[in-house]
Amino acid sequence: MHLRHFVRHSLSQLSAVLVKHESPERWPALLTVLNQSTKSPNPQDRQVGLLLLSKVVESNPEAFRPHYRQLLQLFDTVLQDVNNPTAMYYCILTLTTLTAYAGVNLMRSLLPKLTISIKHLIKVDQDQAGEAMEILDELMESEVSPIIVPHISEIVHFCLEVWADNSLNDSIRVKALSCIASLIRLKNKAVLKQKLLSPILQMVFPVLSAAPPPGQEDLEDQEQDMDNEGDVESPKHFAAQVIDTLALHMPPEKLFQHILPQVQVCLSSENPYQKKAGVVCLAMLAEGCAGYIRRKMLPFMLRTVCHSLSDTSQVVRSAGLLALGQFSEHLQPDVSNYCADVMPLLLRYLAGLNQTMTVHVSKAFYALENFMENLGAEIEPYLPTLMETMLGTLSNAENLRIKELVVSAIGAIASAAKKLLVPYFPAVIENLKGFLLDIRDEVRCLQTQSLDTLSVLARNVGKETFSPLAAECVHLGLNLTNSVDDPDLRRSTYSLFSAVSTVSPECLNPHLGSITTAIMLTMKSTEGVTVSEEKQFVLLDDEEDDDLNLEEEEDIEGNDRDVSEFSVENAYVDEKESACEALGEIAFNTGAAFLPFMESGFQEVFALHDFPHEDVRRASFTVMGQFCRTWHKIWKENPTQENHQVLQNTLSVVLPSLLEAVRKDRDHNVVIAALESMNGVLKACQEEALQSEAMLAEISHVIRDVFKSKVGLCFRKEGEESLICAEYEAILQEFAGEGIPLLASAVPADTFYPYLNELLPFIMNKTKSSCTVAQRSFSLGMLAEIAHSLGLVSGGRAVAGRLSSRLLPVMVSGVRDRDPEVRNNSVFGLGALAQAAGPLLTEYPYTEHLVGMCVFLLIRHVAWCCTFLHIFYIFCSPFQVFPALLSHLPLKKDLEENKTVFGCLAFLYNHNPSLV
């Protein structure tokens, strides 16, 4: 029986290969066989026919387009044949393939029958049922997704029913919850509207808080290192991911309204697993609800997490460490304000750890590293204790994993402490040397981490401290690159070369040929990457390269999806990303010395801009912009016609590529990188980047389309959601908005005015009181930057004066905002507008109001008042405010603002000596 099944599959696959290269219309015998077998009264014949149909349609779905209506009529019959589940299974596989091709009207009638069919399949074969459930994801992702909306409630309750059935295997239960996660991501408005959030949470929390079977532990609590832990998706693990998805795609106010009561029930329980569930839930909320938490929930959530670190149960303490690490990563800068509470707690916790429990120690270091990295000078009081602990552990620990964690933590300390670490630098280097020179395979992870920490030290302890080691570091990196064939180690050596270039670029100059050769070989390499027949990439783990069976090979050969769908993490991807980034930074820092390698280096960077893995594409777009800035620097240092022409040629390639990425790429990090790279080019190259007005128009239109959600990543049809959550969409708009003042400062104001006039409403609409604090702060900051830019270019005064009637009321309103950052940005904006527009502002009837506002500000912030006095010289006599200002001097705190104060006094005296 097994042999017969294998033969059927093999023949079906052979037919699929033939159909890939020959249309069914030119193979009438195939159509005859399909027609006869799928309609045969014999159930076995129908199974074979539908198996063959699934394979040939998957191989070349477009070729069957003339038969779609006939096929869907067939499927309608098969889905009702509950006594032949195998036939239903092959039918659903074929439907899954056709989802992206068949129209809405053709698919609509089949949807209600799908869940019924899958229910029957579950009773017979859970693995087949789990595979069949893929059709729900395909339907949600495809052009026919609107037909899902009327059935969302039915689908959610079906998936929750599967999820809640403990008698089913974990795989199909996780698949059911995965479908719900996709609905949340793609149809969040419909989920809310149909009141499905509460039922979802009511089913998720019991699994999230369930105790493991007696004598067992949850996977993440097991005290053993598991290399594939991240690949295992237990129901409990996926339940936490659903909370994360909800946080990313639901309005925070509505989500917290439903989720907080359940979290509080868990936290108040005596059961450690319920407590753990409450704390894990807080951790999962941190990224997607970051803004809401910072404004309204941070004290409560941080207090809860800190309290969990003193719980008697280690599973609760582990969850607390996870949450603290997540808070430190996503709730900056606010969470660092609690340094005085958190750091002593972490240090005490670290001191009491049992170092034989390496998994738990890893979690403690995760929390410590994430929290420390952003402290800056605030780390100083804790530095002696930290470094005594770290150096002592390095000397005494025997476990390699513990040493690796400590070396990594020293890098995090250096990121925060910078030159404060100098007294400990000799001892740190002495400890690292032994690890750096040990090339045994069993200590490779420790050696790699030591290289990474050495790079962090190079960037942070100061040139005078690190420069004496720079040449030695270059030789070390070259020796390791030449002697050890390991992608992780090469990634770290490239990062070390890049870091050394920031403090001592001249040490790299004699070795640039060897360094760039190694880096570009990595960028060209296809190791770990398989290119299919259609020139598409499939990333494979090293171990799996030789283990593809026939079915998998045909699947790769016949796959015509967008390359961005292939994204398997492995060391070769990280190596390629690091190589790309290192090449860009080395080129910029070595400047003219890098000229012999500029052309070939740029070609290799550009070749990666359509790589399937998003991290590599992101690096490519970032470094393409860096090459533009490098050429601009070289041209400025040596302004020859040849250098200018190369700069223009590079810009003409890079800017269109960046704009295309913003319009078309489907990964938000790539789009953000493209926008950031574009802004970097505009800031560095100024008018050189905008030699043609066509480029000015194109950039302005892309910025406009980001705000209108008309780029690929944000694009939505009416009634649909975009591919990213509102928070990420807001981030995209911020990066796009930052390009507006850069454009304003790069061309004459009259040239940019038509585009500025079109873009301003998108910014000003986000200054309303109904907008979030983040939106108001960003928008008023952008308006201030735009006004400042206008003051720097020809024709700026006239344009600033023309815009003042629109900008001034918005800024005045912002000065009275309840949020200090919004007020600060508004005051900066008023000062910038006054300086840009000059006497033209006097045409606006706001004088008396602004005089009162100046006194209002003086009580709260002297420097703000000084900014205002620049305005009052235009509006009225400063005698009304000047005496009050003097009574608040000299400043007792915020001494860095003396520059603003003295600048204001000098300005006023120059324009009105009678004040003295």
Side-chain angles (χ1 to χ4, degrees):
M1 187 68 182
H2 178 74
L3 178 60
R4 184 183 303 170
H5 180 74
F6 177 78
V7 171
R8 288 173 177 171
H9 270 269
S10 298
L11 290 173
S12 298
Q13 289 172 351
L14 177 60
S15 301
V17 172
L18 294 174
V19 167
K20 185 175 182 64
H21 302 287
E22 188 71 82
S23 75
E25 310 302 333
R26 299 182 63 181
W27 191 5
L30 173 67
L31 294 177
T32 302
V33 169
L34 287 173
N35 190 50
Q36 292 176 351
S37 60
T38 56
K39 295 177 181 178
S40 168
N42 185 320
Q44 288 290 327
D45 288 347
R46 294 200 300 275
Q47 288 180 19
V48 173
L50 287 160
L51 166 62
L52 175 60
L53 181 63
S54 71
K55 294 298 181 184
V56 295
V57 169
E58 182 184 23
S59 173
N60 193 356
E62 276 287 354
F64 286 85
R65 187 175 288 279
H67 307 280
Y68 283 173
R69 185 175 294 277
Q70 182 183 353
L71 287 174
L72 291 173
Q73 289 170 351
L74 168 69
F75 299 152
D76 186 77
T77 302
V78 175
L79 290 175
Q80 299 177 62
D81 187 4
V82 297
N83 295 319
N84 197 342
T86 303
M88 287 196 301
Y89 165 67
Y90 291 130
C91 169
I92 295 174
L93 292 188
T94 312
L95 265 173
T96 304
T97 301
L98 290 180
T99 296
Y101 299 90
V104 171
N105 293 331
L106 292 177
M107 293 293 294
R108 193 187 306 276
S109 63
L110 294 178
L111 188 58
K113 299 180 178 69
L114 283 172
T115 52
I116 297 172
S117 301
I118 294 171
K119 283 181 183 179
H120 284 284
L121 268 179
I122 288 173
K123 297 174 185 177
V124 179
D125 190 319
Q126 292 181 36
D127 291 335
Q128 285 189 351
E131 193 176 351
M133 288 177 73
E134 293 286 342
I135 193 170
L136 299 177
D137 287 332
E138 289 294 328
L139 285 168
M140 286 181 271
E141 297 272 5
S142 73
E143 290 293 319
V144 300
S145 65
I147 69 172
I148 283 275
V149 175
H151 303 279
I152 280 182
S153 181
E154 176 190 345
I155 293 171
V156 166
H157 285 102
F158 161 66
C159 289
L160 289 176
E161 181 184 326
V162 174
W163 165 252
D165 189 345
N166 292 323
S167 68
L168 300 177
N169 63 43
D170 284 354
S171 175
I172 194 167
R173 293 176 66 207
V174 165
K175 181 60 197 171
L177 205 59
S178 171
C179 291
I180 291 178
S182 295
L183 276 171
I184 293 166
R185 181 169 57 87
L186 297 168
K187 301 292 178 186
N188 52 3
K189 291 180 182 177
V191 170
L192 276 176
K193 187 175 181 180
Q194 298 187 32
K195 299 186 177 357
L196 296 171
L197 180 54
S198 184
I200 291 171
L201 290 173
Q202 286 171 6
M203 286 295 187
V204 166
F205 265 88
V207 175
L208 193 62
S209 58
Q216 297 183 29
E217 293 178 310
D218 290 335
L219 180 67
E220 65 272 11
D221 294 321
Q222 293 174 13
E223 192 41 61
Q224 57 190 31
D225 283 317
M226 300 189 66
D227 293 336
N228 332 333
E229 184 178 337
D231 298 330
V232 178
E233 289 187 343
S234 66
K236 180 175 286 193
H237 179 249
F238 205 86
Q241 290 186 23
V242 168
I243 301 295
D244 182 53
T245 304
L246 285 166
L248 286 167
H249 296 280
M250 289 289 173
E253 294 84 357
K254 287 187 167 60
L255 178 59
F256 268 81
Q257 179 185 345
H258 287 86
I259 206 170
L260 198 56
Q262 302 209 45
V263 170
Q264 289 172 327
V265 168
C266 289
L267 294 174
S268 61
S269 171
E270 294 300 318
N271 182 318
Y273 286 94
Q274 289 196 350
K275 284 185 184 176
K276 171 188 172 181
V279 177
V280 167
C281 185
L282 296 181
M284 295 299 101
L285 292 169
E287 181 180 5
C289 300
Y292 181 84
I293 293 170
R294 287 199 302 266
R295 293 193 303 276
K296 297 190 175 181
M297 300 297 299
L298 185 55
F300 158 72
M301 291 176 64
L302 191 59
R303 184 169 60 249
T304 300
V305 167
C306 288
H307 182 70
S308 71
L309 294 181
S310 59
D311 196 273
T312 55
S313 170
Q314 182 167 300
V315 299
V316 179
R317 297 197 301 273
S318 291
L321 292 168
L322 167 69
L324 187 55
Q326 288 287 294
F327 288 7
S328 302
E329 190 170 343
H330 300 297
L331 302 180
Q332 295 294 344
D334 306 66
V335 73
S336 292
N337 295 334
Y338 296 86
C339 172
D341 300 313
V342 176
M343 277 303 294
L345 181 66
L346 279 173
L347 289 172
R348 287 196 301 272
Y349 196 88
L350 211 61
L353 282 175
N354 179 353
Q355 292 190 7
T356 62
M357 304 173 70
T358 54
V359 171
H360 190 69
V361 173
S362 298
K363 294 174 181 177
F365 272 90
Y366 164 73
L368 180 69
E369 277 197 43
N370 276 13
F371 192 81
M372 288 189 307
E373 274 185 332
N374 296 284
L375 289 182
E378 297 295 318
I379 201 172
E380 185 172 13
Y382 313 103
L383 203 51
T385 305
L386 276 169
M387 291 310 298
E388 181 182 351
T389 302
M390 299 301 153
L391 293 172
T393 305
L394 276 184
S395 301
N396 300 322
E398 296 182 0
N399 187 296
L400 289 176
R401 175 60 178 156
I402 298 295
K403 289 185 175 182
E404 183 185 345
L405 291 169
V406 171
V407 170
S408 178
I410 290 173
I413 294 169
S415 293
K418 301 194 184 306
K419 292 187 178 181
L420 293 171
L421 195 72
V422 169
Y424 308 95
F425 183 73
V428 169
I429 291 298
E430 191 60 35
N431 276 278
L432 292 184
K433 277 184 178 178
F435 309 145
L436 290 166
L437 299 174
D438 192 338
I439 61 171
R440 290 176 297 161
D441 289 343
E442 57 267 30
V443 297
R444 181 78 69 239
C445 288
L446 179 56
Q447 183 187 32
T448 301
Q449 183 57 63
S450 298
L451 279 168
D452 289 339
T453 296
L454 188 62
S455 298
V456 176
L457 291 167
R459 294 181 185 277
N460 288 282
V461 297
K463 182 174 182 177
E464 61 281 0
T465 301
F466 198 87
S467 288
L469 295 177
E472 190 177 349
C473 287
V474 174
H475 286 291
L476 169 69
L478 287 170
N479 288 337
L480 291 175
T481 302
N482 293 330
S483 60
V484 181
D485 183 16
D486 182 273
D488 278 325
L489 196 72
R490 287 194 294 270
R491 170 192 61 77
S492 295
T493 57
Y494 300 155
S495 295
L496 180 61
F497 294 144
S498 181
V500 169
S501 77
T502 65
V503 292
S504 186
E506 63 279 1
C507 288
L508 270 72
N509 290 350
H511 309 285
L512 281 176
S514 301
I515 291 171
T516 55
T517 297
I519 288 176
M520 285 192 275
L521 280 174
T522 288
M523 294 169 70
K524 290 178 182 177
S525 172
T526 59
E527 192 172 7
V529 178
T530 298
V531 186
S532 80
E533 198 173 277
E534 286 81 21
K535 307 299 182 188
Q536 294 175 330
F537 296 80
V538 182
L539 303 184
L540 302 170
D541 289 323
D542 336 74
E543 310 82 64
E544 298 175 356
D545 286 0
D546 301 322
D547 297 330
L548 293 175
N549 59 32
L550 175 62
E551 184 172 354
E552 290 171 326
E553 287 174 358
E554 296 301 336
D555 181 60
I556 291 170
E557 183 182 357
N559 205 321
D560 59 358
R561 291 178 294 178
D562 185 85
V563 291
S564 63
E565 294 184 27
F566 298 103
S567 55
V568 180
E569 292 286 348
N570 61 35
Y572 295 104
V573 169
D574 295 337
E575 179 197 5
K576 212 172 278 288
E577 176 191 5
S578 180
C580 188
E581 292 173 339
L583 190 70
E585 190 166 24
I586 290 169
F588 186 81
N589 290 326
T590 55
F594 198 81
L595 272 173
F597 317 102
M598 285 289 285
E599 183 177 354
S600 57
F602 179 76
Q603 288 173 353
E604 295 305 327
V605 170
F606 184 78
L608 295 177
H609 82 282
D610 59 354
F611 197 80
H613 198 284
E614 61 273 13
D615 288 343
V616 177
R617 293 202 308 280
R618 180 195 53 76
S620 174
F621 288 122
T622 298
V623 175
M624 283 161 62
Q626 207 162 22
F627 265 81
C628 290
R629 302 199 304 275
T630 301
W631 270 118
H632 186 267
K633 184 174 78 167
I634 290 172
W635 170 62
K636 281 291 186 181
E637 292 170 354
N638 184 18
T640 65
Q641 181 58 37
E642 181 183 0
N643 286 343
H644 185 262
Q645 188 58 52
V646 175
L647 168 62
Q648 286 299 317
N649 291 345
T650 307
L651 288 167
S652 69
V653 172
V654 170
L655 285 174
S657 299
L658 297 176
L659 296 174
E660 182 182 32
V662 175
R663 288 198 180 280
K664 296 183 179 179
D665 205 282
R666 310 289 275 186
D667 182 87
H668 72 271
N669 284 322
V670 175
V671 176
I672 287 172
L675 286 168
E676 193 171 20
S677 187
M678 178 190 77
N679 291 342
V681 171
L682 291 175
K683 185 175 182 179
C685 301
Q686 291 274 297
E687 69 278 2
E688 290 300 322
L690 303 169
Q691 289 288 293
S692 72
E693 190 168 335
M695 181 53 66
L696 173 62
E698 184 60 24
I699 294 174
S700 300
H701 292 157
V702 165
I703 293 172
R704 175 201 63 194
D705 289 347
V706 171
F707 277 100
K708 294 175 71 174
S709 298
K710 294 296 184 184
V711 296
L713 187 60
C714 307
F715 182 76
R716 59 173 74 84
K717 294 181 179 178
E718 188 174 351
E720 293 186 359
E721 288 83 33
S722 70
L723 294 176
I724 55 172
C725 67
E727 188 129 343
Y728 282 141
E729 195 164 348
I731 292 171
L732 289 186
Q733 291 177 358
E734 289 186 12
F735 276 98
E738 287 172 4
I740 301 174
L742 293 171
L743 291 173
S745 65
V747 294
D750 287 336
T751 303
F752 184 51
Y753 179 73
Y755 307 105
L756 178 59
N757 200 40
E758 183 182 16
L759 293 169
L760 271 181
F762 299 111
I763 303 291
M764 296 178 70
N765 284 342
K766 296 182 183 297
T767 64
K768 299 173 182 176
S769 58
S770 58
C771 296
T772 66
V773 170
Q775 288 172 330
R776 298 198 306 274
S777 176
F778 163 75
S779 300
L780 283 157
M782 280 299 99
L783 293 176
E785 293 288 351
I786 291 167
H788 177 71
S789 295
L790 290 174
L792 303 175
V793 296
S794 65
R797 172 152 294 187
V799 170
R802 203 181 315 172
L803 294 174
S804 61
S805 61
R806 295 160 64 186
L807 298 182
L808 200 52
V810 172
M811 292 175 177
V812 168
S813 176
V815 169
R816 294 192 178 277
D817 195 277
R818 61 184 179 275
D819 182 79
E821 187 174 313
V822 176
R823 295 196 299 269
N824 200 12
N825 288 347
S826 301
V827 173
F828 168 54
L830 283 168
L833 184 60
Q835 291 174 352
L840 296 177
L841 271 186
T842 57
E843 299 173 9
Y844 192 77
Y846 240 80
T847 304
E848 293 182 6
H849 188 70
L850 290 174
V851 172
M853 189 173 293
C854 188
V855 176
F856 166 81
L857 286 173
L858 185 57
I859 298 170
R860 291 161 175 76
H861 206 298
V862 173
W864 288 1
C865 180
C866 289
T867 303
F868 259 63
L869 280 173
H870 283 73
I871 304 172
F872 292 133
Y873 178 78
I874 299 166
F875 277 108
C876 61
S877 169
F879 285 104
Q880 299 173 65
V881 182
F882 191 67
L885 170 63
L886 291 178
S887 68
H888 286 77
L889 299 178
L891 295 178
K892 302 292 193 299
K893 59 180 181 177
D894 300 326
L895 298 181
E896 70 277 4
E897 292 176 353
N898 272 323
K899 181 179 179 181
T900 302
V901 174
F902 294 145
C904 171
L905 295 176
F907 172 84
L908 292 171
Y909 177 72
N910 285 336
H911 288 81
N912 198 338
S914 62
L915 280 171
V916 180

